[in-house]
Amino acid sequence: MSTALRQEHFGPYKLVRTLGNAHGATRYAVLCSRTDTNYMLYRFEHITNVKERRALFNALLKMSTLKHAHLLNIESVSYDDNGRLCVVTPYTGNHDGLVTLDQLLNIRDGKLGEVESTRALGHLLDAIKCAHKHEIYNGQINPDDILVDRYGCLQIQLYGFETIAHRSINQNPTQSERAMLITDEIRSVVDLAYTMMTGLKATDDRIAPSRVIKKLDKNWDTWFDIGLDPIDGFDSVEHAINALPTNPNCAQWLTTKSPRMPQVHIGSMLRRFRTSPSTSRTQR
């Protein structure tokens, strides 16, 4: 089935072909008549609720402040003649269309190997670090939201959309919500990195990467053990970056763990709960 479109325009952009859907928007490859350059257009269906419409517009404006090589740049946010919200970004694909990290892994038989995986992991962690400095968080990152350009550069599309668009633009996440978003986000990237490097799923009984890849630095085993820990994990994206085995000083970061007060409190409560009956019997 052809994805080519009839003559349809959005400002100076001619819609060329559809590129599937993402975050509730239809994506299009478009050609700018002013520069003869390909771009990508995200077009959302018309939203009748004024409050929701405004919140979505404000969310996209906030996301457009993020400028980083590995975050897909939002170049403009506006409405078309039918009142549909439209977002223009650079086009990262080739003549066949977009390439996502998930598709690349399928093409490469499920894994990228040590060198390419380490490079891709660096792209993602650096992008997240930039976003967190701007107090924008995404939560779990899906491999379908990671676009790969012709040069192997990774870019996360519409970073932070789900978390920003579904709350009032003036309502920031609470401290506990922020901590959960950061934890889920970093763990999802570590999970992806494990698959990229080994070609395996990061299950509870996973195999240490050094047993899969010959001569792999065993510090990677520790890095993945921390990053995939269901309770603790890395304290921040900076912690994850500093602990990377590519860092000559990674050892001190692989052994340093900051205590998490909420977990200590819960543990104390459970111990008191378990010991209270015996204490009561002794008092009797």
Side-chain angles (χ1 to χ4, degrees), residues 2-97:
S2 174
T3 57
L5 300 171
R6 295 181 179 179
Q7 294 291 334
E8 188 176 355
H9 291 79
F10 168 65
Y13 303 101
K14 176 186 175 183
L15 279 63
V16 178
R17 60 185 294 193
T18 57
L19 298 170
N21 301 321
H23 298 283
T26 303
R27 290 180 303 201
Y28 300 90
V30 298
L31 181 66
C32 180
S33 59
R34 295 172 182 168
T35 61
D36 198 30
T37 305
N38 287 322
Y39 288 88
M40 186 154 59
L41 173 71
Y42 293 78
R43 188 170 70 187
F44 294 84
E45 290 304 314
H46 183 66
I47 302 172
T48 55
N49 186 295
V50 176
K51 185 177 180 180
E52 291 180 6
R53 178 172 167 158
R54 187 63 188 175
L56 180 58
F57 182 81
N58 287 339
L60 290 164
L61 282 182
K62 183 175 182 179
M63 291 158 52
S64 70
T65 62
L66 292 176
K67 305 295 180 185
H68 191 275
H70 304 300
L71 294 171
L72 188 64
N73 184 41
I74 294 178
E75 301 203 357
S76 70
V77 180
S78 57
Y79 294 96
D80 67 8
D81 293 338
N82 295 314
R84 294 172 296 192
L85 190 57
C86 295
V87 178
V88 176
T89 73
Y91 177 68
T92 63
N94 52 37
H95 62 279
D96 291 324

Side-chain angles (χ1 to χ4, degrees), residues 98-138:
L98 297 176
V99 178
T100 66
L101 178 59
D102 198 37
Q103 291 171 330
L104 181 61
L105 286 171
N106 288 332
I107 294 170
R108 300 287 294 277
D109 295 325
K111 65 179 179 179
L112 302 182
E114 178 187 356
V115 176
E116 287 182 281
S117 297
T118 302
R119 178 171 175 262
L121 176 60
H123 290 183
L124 297 176
L125 291 177
D126 283 344
I128 293 171
K129 180 180 177 180
C130 170
H132 289 187
K133 284 184 177 180
H134 288 79
E135 297 188 348
I136 298 178
Y137 310 94
N138 189 86

